[in-house]
């Protein structure tokens, strides 16, 4: 049984992890995945894995599956409005097909 | 002259300590583009180990210490923390090409305390055989938190002012437009004053209310930082439990070795961050060289006052100077990044890690120990 859904991806600074998780929860998403991320963006090359004196230089990538596009947009608008003026970050949406979705 | 030559001999002697050797070694290795890396997890663990050890030894010794003596140095520590931010606000911020918010954040970071610099200072004091008060390490939060709070509050006030300035400008434009309009309207048979002012001022009022900086979250965030948590946990365990056995067999013997590895990482990190510093105004580099030494001397001066009034030990005076000279490198940056989002992290983290910390370690600590030995003879 597969199900159509939207996947919102947010790549941003690790510092914001808790705050963004809260926004996602409040928007009503049932869950999310977070992984460490590194790479190159408009603000600089930022990498993960090397010893850094504090977490101010690490990035994370959120993946949130939402049952509809509106919820995903609501989350990304909130995140962009609150943080993207001062912190590095990018968000994008994909249409995905979720397999074996027990609850969603 | 004799005083100076004696002081210099002591100073050069301290430069050869393992702590500084490893720090400079780390810089050299990074400068040679070596692929040597100390894993991040190990680095974090070392910081935890060092601070819990400092906390434990303090806690164990505090049990039979007189805490009333701590009052004056603690007040001085808080005063220094606030003063450092104010100094940055009135010197660094006024320099050309330096953004005020960046300068305030840099001041906040230099006012905050580095756990690793403190640990290095304690080690060098012990190897010199200088006595210091058991609770001296507990001065850390008294300087750290006021500095960060002051920086974040100052930055918010400044940003608020900038905002009202902009709003006042746009309001003036709107008013002058209105005058023109109402003059035209009078000609056309009576003009009503526009009602747009009332809600706009209420909105501004609300924004101002919402913009009020809450101090408690900043304090909580500092206390929850990895370095302070470990130090306070160690203190609590030292006071309330009997950790002597584990302290003697595990934490204390490993301390020096771990510290030298940490210094190696600091050296490598300092070299890696120099590039970042090149991107911001050169004044940051100048500030980062002068500030630790100046702040340390302020700490030393106030420590001397405490020494003559309440019998604060020369070792304690050195510790106060060292934490005044240190700039936070673990807990401070995330707190400031979240508290002053508009400030450029390259400016404050770059100047602190690349220049400030090495200067505080390599020149600061030997300088204060040498001064204390020469002036107070211990």
């Amino acid at each position: 049984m597969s199900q159509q859904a939207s996947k919102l991806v947010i790549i941003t600074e690790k510092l914001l992890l808790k705050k963004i998780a809260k926004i996602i929860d409040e928007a009503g998403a049932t869950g999310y995945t977070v992984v460490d991320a590194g790479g190159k963006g408009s603000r600089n090359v930022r990498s993960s894995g090397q010893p850094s004196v504090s977490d101010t230089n690490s990035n994370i990538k959120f993946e949130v599956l939402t049952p509809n596009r509106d919820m995903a947009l609501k989350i990304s608008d909130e995140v962009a409005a609150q943080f993207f003026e001062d912190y590095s970050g990018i968000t994008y949406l994909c249409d995905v097909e979720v397999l074996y979705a027990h609850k969603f | 002259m004799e005083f100076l030559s004696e002081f210099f001999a002591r100073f050069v002697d301290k430069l050869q300590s393992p702590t500084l050797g490893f720090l400079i070694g780390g810089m050299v290795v990074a400068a040679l583009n070596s692929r040597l890396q100390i894993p991040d997890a190990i680095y974090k663990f070392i910081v935890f180990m060092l601070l819990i050890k400092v906390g434990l030894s303090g806690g164990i010794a505090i049990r039979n210490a007189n805490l009333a003596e701590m009052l004056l140095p603690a007040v001085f520590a808080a005063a220094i923390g606030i003063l450092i931010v104010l100094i940055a606000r009135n010197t660094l911020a006024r320099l050309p090409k330096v953004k005020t918010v960046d300068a305030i954040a840099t001041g906040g970071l230099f006012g905050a305390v580095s756990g690793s610099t403190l640990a290095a200072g304690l080690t060098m004091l012990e190897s010199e055989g200088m006595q210091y008060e058991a609770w001296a390490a507990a001065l850390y939060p008294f300087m750290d938190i006021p500095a960060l709070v002051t920086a974040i509050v100052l930055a918010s006030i400044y940003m608020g002012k900038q905002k009202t300035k902009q709003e006042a400008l746009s309001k003036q434009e709107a008013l002058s437009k209105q005058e023109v309009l109402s003059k035209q309207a009078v000609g056309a048979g009576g003009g009503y004053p526009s009602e747009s002012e009332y809600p706009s001022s209420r909105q501004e009022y609300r924004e101002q209310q919402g913009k009020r900086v809450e101090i408690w979250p900043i304090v909580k965030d500092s206390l929850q930082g990895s370095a302070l948590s470990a130090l306070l946990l160690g203190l609590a365990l030292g006071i309330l439990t009997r950790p002597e056995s584990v302290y003697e067999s595990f934490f204390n013997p490993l301390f020096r070795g771990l510290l030298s590895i940490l210094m190696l990482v600091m050296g490598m990190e300092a070299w890696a961050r120099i590039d970042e510093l090149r991107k911001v105004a050169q004044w940051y580099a100048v500030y980062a060289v002068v500030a630790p030494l100046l702040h340390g001397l302020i700490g030393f001066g106030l420590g001397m006052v405490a020494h003559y009034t309440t019998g604060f030990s020369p070792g304690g005076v050195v510790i106060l100077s060292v934490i005044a000279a240190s700039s936070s490198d673990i807990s401070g940056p995330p707190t400031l990044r979240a508290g002053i989002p508009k400030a450029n992290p390259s400016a404050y983290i770059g100047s602190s890690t690349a220049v400030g910390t090495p200067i505080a370690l390599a020149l600061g600590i030997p300088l204060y120990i040498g001064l204390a030995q020469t002036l107070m003879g211990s």
Side-chain angles (χ1 to χ4, degrees), chain B residues 37-72:
Chain B
Q37 275 201 346
I38 309 292
D40 200 19
I42 301 238
Y43 166 79
K44 289 199 170 101
F45 181 68
I46 290 178
V47 171
F48 158 79
M49 284 282 291
L50 295 186
L51 285 161
I52 201 143
K53 183 263 171 190
V54 169
L56 280 174
S57 64
I60 291 169
I62 279 178
R63 277 188 226 147
N64 32 29
N66 176 10
L67 277 190
E69 289 171 0
M70 190 174 165
L71 188 65
L72 190 64

Short mmCIF file of all heavy atoms in Angstrom, two decimals, chain B residues 37-72:
data_model
loop_
_atom_site.label_atom_id
_atom_site.label_comp_id
_atom_site.label_asym_id
_atom_site.label_seq_id
_atom_site.Cartn_x
_atom_site.Cartn_y
_atom_site.Cartn_z
N GLN B 37 44.39 14.43 12.61
CA GLN B 37 43.13 14.93 13.16
C GLN B 37 42.82 14.25 14.48
O GLN B 37 43.03 13.06 14.63
CB GLN B 37 41.98 14.63 12.19
CG GLN B 37 41.82 15.68 11.12
CD GLN B 37 40.42 15.64 10.54
OE1 GLN B 37 39.69 14.69 10.75
NE2 GLN B 37 40.06 16.67 9.81
N ILE B 38 42.35 15.02 15.41
CA ILE B 38 41.83 14.45 16.65
C ILE B 38 40.31 14.42 16.49
O ILE B 38 39.71 15.46 16.23
CB ILE B 38 42.18 15.33 17.87
CG1 ILE B 38 43.67 15.67 17.89
CG2 ILE B 38 41.75 14.66 19.16
CD1 ILE B 38 44.58 14.52 18.15
N PRO B 39 39.69 13.23 16.60
CA PRO B 39 38.25 13.16 16.35
C PRO B 39 37.45 14.09 17.26
O PRO B 39 37.84 14.33 18.41
CB PRO B 39 37.91 11.70 16.66
CG PRO B 39 39.20 10.97 16.61
CD PRO B 39 40.27 11.94 16.93
N ASP B 40 36.39 14.59 16.69
CA ASP B 40 35.53 15.53 17.38
C ASP B 40 35.04 14.99 18.72
O ASP B 40 35.02 15.68 19.73
CB ASP B 40 34.33 15.81 16.46
CG ASP B 40 33.64 17.09 16.84
OD1 ASP B 40 34.28 17.91 17.52
OD2 ASP B 40 32.47 17.27 16.47
N ALA B 41 34.63 13.69 18.71
CA ALA B 41 34.06 13.10 19.92
C ALA B 41 35.10 13.10 21.04
O ALA B 41 34.78 13.38 22.20
CB ALA B 41 33.59 11.69 19.62
N ILE B 42 36.35 12.82 20.69
CA ILE B 42 37.42 12.78 21.69
C ILE B 42 37.62 14.18 22.28
O ILE B 42 37.76 14.35 23.48
CB ILE B 42 38.74 12.30 21.05
CG1 ILE B 42 38.52 10.92 20.47
CG2 ILE B 42 39.90 12.38 22.03
CD1 ILE B 42 39.38 9.84 20.97
N TYR B 43 37.60 15.15 21.40
CA TYR B 43 37.77 16.53 21.85
C TYR B 43 36.70 16.89 22.88
O TYR B 43 36.99 17.45 23.93
CB TYR B 43 37.70 17.46 20.64
CG TYR B 43 37.53 18.90 20.99
CD1 TYR B 43 38.61 19.66 21.41
CD2 TYR B 43 36.28 19.49 20.94
CE1 TYR B 43 38.45 20.97 21.76
CE2 TYR B 43 36.10 20.82 21.29
CZ TYR B 43 37.20 21.55 21.69
OH TYR B 43 37.03 22.86 22.05
N LYS B 44 35.45 16.55 22.55
CA LYS B 44 34.35 16.90 23.45
C LYS B 44 34.49 16.16 24.77
O LYS B 44 34.20 16.70 25.84
CB LYS B 44 33.01 16.55 22.80
CG LYS B 44 32.68 17.48 21.65
CD LYS B 44 31.20 17.46 21.31
CE LYS B 44 30.87 18.57 20.33
NZ LYS B 44 30.74 18.08 18.96
N PHE B 45 34.94 14.90 24.68
CA PHE B 45 35.09 14.10 25.90
C PHE B 45 36.21 14.68 26.78
O PHE B 45 36.08 14.72 28.00
CB PHE B 45 35.40 12.65 25.51
CG PHE B 45 35.56 11.75 26.70
CD1 PHE B 45 34.47 11.46 27.51
CD2 PHE B 45 36.79 11.21 27.03
CE1 PHE B 45 34.61 10.63 28.61
CE2 PHE B 45 36.94 10.39 28.14
CZ PHE B 45 35.84 10.10 28.93
N ILE B 46 37.27 15.14 26.14
CA ILE B 46 38.38 15.71 26.91
C ILE B 46 37.91 16.96 27.67
O ILE B 46 38.22 17.13 28.85
CB ILE B 46 39.57 16.08 25.99
CG1 ILE B 46 40.22 14.80 25.48
CG2 ILE B 46 40.59 16.93 26.73
CD1 ILE B 46 41.36 15.04 24.52
N VAL B 47 37.12 17.78 26.98
CA VAL B 47 36.62 18.98 27.64
C VAL B 47 35.79 18.60 28.86
O VAL B 47 35.93 19.17 29.95
CB VAL B 47 35.77 19.82 26.66
CG1 VAL B 47 35.06 20.94 27.39
CG2 VAL B 47 36.65 20.39 25.57
N PHE B 48 34.96 17.57 28.69
CA PHE B 48 34.14 17.10 29.81
C PHE B 48 35.03 16.62 30.95
O PHE B 48 34.83 16.98 32.11
CB PHE B 48 33.21 15.99 29.32
CG PHE B 48 32.72 15.10 30.42
CD1 PHE B 48 31.69 15.50 31.26
CD2 PHE B 48 33.30 13.86 30.63
CE1 PHE B 48 31.26 14.70 32.29
CE2 PHE B 48 32.86 13.04 31.67
CZ PHE B 48 31.85 13.46 32.50
N MET B 49 36.02 15.79 30.62
CA MET B 49 36.91 15.21 31.64
C MET B 49 37.62 16.31 32.43
O MET B 49 37.71 16.25 33.66
CB MET B 49 37.97 14.33 30.98
CG MET B 49 37.47 12.99 30.54
SD MET B 49 37.30 11.86 31.92
CE MET B 49 39.02 11.59 32.34
N LEU B 50 38.14 17.29 31.71
CA LEU B 50 38.91 18.34 32.38
C LEU B 50 38.03 19.13 33.32
O LEU B 50 38.40 19.40 34.46
CB LEU B 50 39.53 19.29 31.35
CG LEU B 50 40.57 18.69 30.41
CD1 LEU B 50 41.19 19.78 29.57
CD2 LEU B 50 41.64 17.97 31.19
N LEU B 51 36.83 19.50 32.86
CA LEU B 51 36.00 20.35 33.68
C LEU B 51 35.41 19.60 34.85
O LEU B 51 35.24 20.15 35.93
CB LEU B 51 34.93 21.03 32.83
CG LEU B 51 35.58 22.14 32.03
CD1 LEU B 51 34.73 22.55 30.87
CD2 LEU B 51 35.89 23.35 32.90
N ILE B 52 35.11 18.31 34.65
CA ILE B 52 34.56 17.57 35.78
C ILE B 52 35.66 17.37 36.82
O ILE B 52 35.42 17.43 38.02
CB ILE B 52 33.91 16.23 35.34
CG1 ILE B 52 32.94 15.78 36.44
CG2 ILE B 52 34.92 15.15 35.08
CD1 ILE B 52 31.71 15.13 35.89
N LYS B 53 36.90 17.22 36.36
CA LYS B 53 38.02 17.08 37.30
C LYS B 53 38.21 18.38 38.09
O LYS B 53 38.38 18.35 39.31
CB LYS B 53 39.30 16.74 36.52
CG LYS B 53 40.52 16.50 37.38
CD LYS B 53 41.40 17.72 37.49
CE LYS B 53 42.49 17.56 38.52
NZ LYS B 53 43.19 18.80 38.81
N VAL B 54 38.18 19.51 37.36
CA VAL B 54 38.33 20.80 38.04
C VAL B 54 37.20 20.97 39.06
O VAL B 54 37.41 21.40 40.20
CB VAL B 54 38.32 21.95 37.01
CG1 VAL B 54 38.19 23.30 37.70
CG2 VAL B 54 39.58 21.90 36.16
N GLY B 55 35.99 20.59 38.65
CA GLY B 55 34.84 20.70 39.55
C GLY B 55 34.99 19.80 40.76
O GLY B 55 34.77 20.22 41.90
N LEU B 56 35.39 18.54 40.52
CA LEU B 56 35.54 17.59 41.62
C LEU B 56 36.56 18.09 42.63
O LEU B 56 36.29 18.10 43.84
CB LEU B 56 35.99 16.22 41.09
CG LEU B 56 34.92 15.31 40.48
CD1 LEU B 56 35.56 14.09 39.88
CD2 LEU B 56 33.89 14.91 41.52
N SER B 57 37.74 18.49 42.13
CA SER B 57 38.78 18.91 43.08
C SER B 57 38.32 20.14 43.85
O SER B 57 38.57 20.25 45.05
CB SER B 57 40.11 19.16 42.36
OG SER B 57 39.95 20.23 41.47
N GLY B 58 37.61 21.03 43.16
CA GLY B 58 37.07 22.20 43.86
C GLY B 58 36.05 21.79 44.90
O GLY B 58 36.10 22.23 46.05
N GLY B 59 35.14 20.90 44.50
CA GLY B 59 34.07 20.46 45.39
C GLY B 59 34.60 19.77 46.63
O GLY B 59 34.16 20.02 47.75
N ILE B 60 35.61 18.89 46.42
CA ILE B 60 36.18 18.16 47.55
C ILE B 60 36.80 19.16 48.53
O ILE B 60 36.64 19.03 49.75
CB ILE B 60 37.25 17.16 47.06
CG1 ILE B 60 36.59 16.03 46.28
CG2 ILE B 60 38.06 16.60 48.22
CD1 ILE B 60 37.53 15.13 45.54
N ALA B 61 37.47 20.17 47.99
CA ALA B 61 38.17 21.11 48.87
C ALA B 61 37.23 22.14 49.49
O ALA B 61 37.51 22.66 50.57
CB ALA B 61 39.26 21.82 48.08
N ILE B 62 36.12 22.41 48.83
CA ILE B 62 35.20 23.43 49.34
C ILE B 62 34.59 23.01 50.67
O ILE B 62 34.30 23.83 51.52
CB ILE B 62 34.09 23.73 48.29
CG1 ILE B 62 34.63 24.70 47.24
CG2 ILE B 62 32.85 24.33 48.94
CD1 ILE B 62 33.65 25.01 46.15
N ARG B 63 34.42 21.69 50.83
CA ARG B 63 33.78 21.18 52.05
C ARG B 63 34.31 21.84 53.31
O ARG B 63 33.56 22.13 54.21
CB ARG B 63 34.02 19.67 52.16
CG ARG B 63 33.02 18.88 51.35
CD ARG B 63 33.19 17.43 51.68
NE ARG B 63 33.20 16.65 50.46
CZ ARG B 63 33.91 15.55 50.31
NH1 ARG B 63 34.69 15.11 51.28
NH2 ARG B 63 33.85 14.87 49.18
N ASN B 64 35.65 22.01 53.36
CA ASN B 64 36.18 22.61 54.58
C ASN B 64 36.80 23.98 54.31
O ASN B 64 37.80 24.35 54.88
CB ASN B 64 37.19 21.68 55.26
CG ASN B 64 37.94 20.88 54.22
OD1 ASN B 64 38.11 21.35 53.10
ND2 ASN B 64 38.39 19.69 54.59
N ALA B 65 36.18 24.71 53.38
CA ALA B 65 36.66 26.07 53.11
C ALA B 65 35.64 27.07 53.63
O ALA B 65 34.48 26.73 53.85
CB ALA B 65 36.87 26.27 51.62
N ASN B 66 36.09 28.29 53.80
CA ASN B 66 35.19 29.34 54.25
C ASN B 66 34.65 30.08 53.03
O ASN B 66 35.38 30.81 52.38
CB ASN B 66 35.98 30.29 55.18
CG ASN B 66 35.12 31.46 55.61
OD1 ASN B 66 33.91 31.45 55.38
ND2 ASN B 66 35.73 32.44 56.21
N LEU B 67 33.38 29.86 52.74
CA LEU B 67 32.84 30.40 51.49
C LEU B 67 32.58 31.90 51.54
O LEU B 67 32.37 32.53 50.52
CB LEU B 67 31.55 29.66 51.12
CG LEU B 67 31.77 28.34 50.39
CD1 LEU B 67 30.47 27.81 49.84
CD2 LEU B 67 32.77 28.50 49.24
N ALA B 68 32.59 32.47 52.74
CA ALA B 68 32.37 33.92 52.84
C ALA B 68 33.49 34.67 52.11
O ALA B 68 33.27 35.75 51.57
CB ALA B 68 32.31 34.33 54.30
N GLU B 69 34.68 34.05 52.08
CA GLU B 69 35.82 34.67 51.39
C GLU B 69 35.56 34.82 49.90
O GLU B 69 36.19 35.62 49.23
CB GLU B 69 37.09 33.82 51.58
CG GLU B 69 37.64 33.84 52.98
CD GLU B 69 38.76 32.83 53.14
OE1 GLU B 69 39.06 32.13 52.14
OE2 GLU B 69 39.31 32.72 54.24
N MET B 70 34.66 33.99 49.39
CA MET B 70 34.46 33.95 47.95
C MET B 70 33.69 35.18 47.47
O MET B 70 33.72 35.51 46.28
CB MET B 70 33.68 32.69 47.59
CG MET B 70 33.63 32.42 46.12
SD MET B 70 32.87 30.83 45.81
CE MET B 70 32.53 31.00 44.08
N LEU B 71 32.99 35.83 48.39
CA LEU B 71 32.07 36.90 48.01
C LEU B 71 32.74 37.99 47.15
O LEU B 71 32.29 38.28 46.05
CB LEU B 71 31.46 37.52 49.26
CG LEU B 71 30.34 38.52 48.99
CD1 LEU B 71 29.15 37.82 48.35
CD2 LEU B 71 29.91 39.22 50.28
N LEU B 72 33.83 38.56 47.68
CA LEU B 72 34.46 39.68 46.98
C LEU B 72 35.00 39.28 45.59
O LEU B 72 34.69 39.93 44.59
CB LEU B 72 35.55 40.30 47.85
CG LEU B 72 36.12 41.63 47.34
CD1 LEU B 72 35.06 42.71 47.34
CD2 LEU B 72 37.32 42.07 48.17
#
